[in-house]
Amino acid sequence: MAIISSKDNKRIKDAKKLYQKKYRTTSYLIEGLHLYQEAVQAGARFKQIFVTEKFAHIPEATLVSQEVMRFLSDTETPQGLIAEVAFPSCHEQAEELQKVLILENVQDPGNVGTMIRTADAAGFDGVVVTGGSADIYAPKVLRTMQGAHFHLPIFQENEAQALYQRLKAQDMTLIATTLSPASVDYRKLVRPEKFALIMGNEGAGIASETEKTADILAHIVMPGRAESLNVAVAAGIVMFSLTDD
Amino acid sequence: MAIISSKDNKRIKDAKKLYQKKYRTTSYLIEGLHLYQEAVQAGARFKQIFVTEKFAHIPEATLVSQEVMRFLSDTETPQGLIAEVAFPSCHEQAEELQKVLILENVQDPGNVGTMIRTADAAGFDGVVVTGGSADIYAPKVLRTMQGAHFHLPIFQENEAQALYQRLKAQDMTLIATTLSPASVDYRKLVRPEKFALIMGNEGAGIASETEKTADILAHIVMPGRAESLNVAVAAGIVMFSLTDD
């Protein structure tokens, strides 16, 4: 079996570019056995799979040296498996879903990934990530999502306000979270049949336009002294309060 | 006003060592205006305060050059204020508290910091971090805690099992979280008067000994497809289900 042992190899150099958003037009990289297995189960299409000796048994894999794997990896201790996965060719529409999480301008990749993972656990059926948020195919987002993007559809949407209008026209209730105690205590929410939960930016919260557009504004009552919660923790608390019994 | 402009200055070199746990015997570093203000409000004792020109008005501050600030900072974009804070000289006892969060071998600094911040928001009155967990005075933990350690006492405890026995002897109910659906649905928990909530390691969960010692094992029902939640999100969901009404 041939082995790629040079970092200057064109396939390696081209693959590494996929860590930059501008090169991710048709595919992205995933790393590690767990995500690879999730991708296989989801029927994802692989463009190429780079492995070290340890994973040489994987079908269609291309063997690379440890040094090339370290070069190609986004982590400090590479597991020895990096796959290039094609973007799904068609998507459902966000409008057809019942229970959607919307991330409005959430910037930290770890927060974006964790919230999508939580939405998957809570039984939401889709996620929309609006412009200004971390790119969902960035390595850190993929690591923290732990394969959730293979379980539920994720949309990227530049025009948040236009999306909200479309969702409202489809009888979807928009619930936006705020820090304001003048809004509804999340524990008093009666779960609508079709709804979207909007989580805002780490520092600034939801946009002021969103505050006007949303059907319901809700907040988490905090009996303690901290002024706010991490957005991913807040999202988890509200999402699980809106799960089925 | 004198200015320190050399990274070789002994005070600077000694201060920088405080990022390493072995040197944090009597003090630790905090960075940025927000944490400094929290420390002032909490009546913390400062050993020294390094600032750039921007914060030269701060009482007792030592002026340093931008270059020295960058050297001393743990962040990529230093705000220009780093203070050395003395450890509090005496602590309450964990046994005197009513509502305690225990982090058992939680390794990721971001998770440890976020959970302490959430405990502060949820109105818990103390946190115990057991051996094997990330050190609470590590820079990343301090950043994610956002000053919570100035609001509630935090104990470091090497012998988790001995602690649990002491807490039980004080009529504290130990609630440990698991992934097992054979345990209690967290929504069915009746909040005990005095309790400690135990969150386990990111990968391995709580120790098998803890499973035997705990009075109640509880889990979060996940209607979706993800196999688990991020531990800080899970802690947030359970802590807020145990807050006062």
Side-chain angles (χ1 to χ4, degrees), chain A residues 7 87 90 118 137 160-161 171 235:
Chain A
K7 295 186 286 189
F87 284 143
C90 69
T118 308
Y137 295 104
Q161 301 303 325
D171 293 324

Side-chain angles (χ1 to χ4, degrees), chain B residues 5 46 91 129 133 138 140 150 156 164 178 211 231 236:
Chain B
S5 53
F46 296 100
H91 266 316
V129 178
S133 297
K140 172 115 199 241
F150 295 123
Q156 308 214 39
Y164 298 155
T178 72
E211 235 173 279
V231 66

Side-chain angles (χ1 to χ4, degrees), chain A residues 117 120-121 224-225 228-229 237, chain B residues 117 120-121 224-225 228-229 240:
Chain A
R117 174 184 176 188
D120 182 24
R225 289 180 60 186
S228 64
L229 289 165
I237 293 168
Chain B
R117 175 183 176 189
D120 182 23
R225 289 180 61 187
S228 65
L229 289 164
F240 271 84

